Amino acid sequence: MSLETVPDPVFSQGMVGPGVAIHPEPGQEGGQEGRQEAVAPLTGTLVKLRPHAFVVMAEGRERGILVHLGIDTVQLEGEGFTLLATEGAQVRVGTPVIDWSPGGVAAAGKPSVVPVVALDADQEELIDVVSGAVDPGDPLFSWG
């Protein structure tokens, strides 16, 4: 999905940066109760970690990617989210960071859409931005 379609102006208006949004299918991973692992989108340091969101800063560069699991999910106060990593950890692309249930988020009345944002970037800096369906692990964009 494009960020413009995310039901939160912070993301839809690009206030934190450009990117894309993923609308996960409940049970996509086939795990218990449709649980899924949110993974590191790049190699670097996990500089912020909350139950519903995390930021990874790229190694040797001042570039960070925010992954936000659902909209208004901070209001869930961590319920339904399990941290799989620790803040400050070094992660590689694909390292599991948070286990969560998109269906559980939707059942709590929150959109389960997942914005993936290049923090403080300009839209023109993103290349190869994906459009349409993706599978876990597929590249979403490159930051030029």
Side-chain angles (χ1 to χ4, degrees):
M1 302 172 48
S2 71
L3 275 185
E4 291 80 24
T5 63
V6 172
D8 182 323
V10 170
F11 297 110
S12 65
Q13 295 176 15
M15 293 180 191
V16 291
V20 298
I22 301 167
H23 191 257
E25 296 292 328
Q28 179 179 356
E29 294 290 311
Q32 178 186 14
E33 299 175 9
R35 297 196 67 81
Q36 299 181 21
E37 290 181 343
V39 301
L42 72 157
T43 297
T45 304
L46 193 55
V47 296
K48 291 284 182 193
L49 178 62
R50 301 294 180 263
H52 64 283
F54 61 93
V55 175
V56 179
M57 291 295 290
E59 292 179 347
R61 302 182 80 171
E62 293 187 22
R63 292 186 172 178
I65 302 290
L66 166 67
V67 177
H68 200 284
L69 305 175
I71 302 301
D72 294 330
T73 46
V74 67
Q75 296 169 0
L76 300 177
E77 298 178 343
E79 186 173 332
F81 299 87
T82 303
L83 301 180
L84 304 175
T86 57
E87 192 168 288
Q90 296 297 307
V91 295
R92 301 191 61 71
V93 171
T95 299
V97 178
I98 300 173
D99 178 82
W100 72 302
S101 171
V105 166
K110 308 295 181 194
S112 60
V113 63
V114 179
V116 180
V117 179
L119 295 173
D120 300 321
D122 291 324
Q123 182 66 48
E124 324 51 79
E125 294 179 84
L126 299 191
I127 54 175
D128 301 324
V129 178
V130 72
S131 176
V134 295
D135 289 319
D138 284 355
L140 301 177
F141 55 81
S142 295
W143 193 342

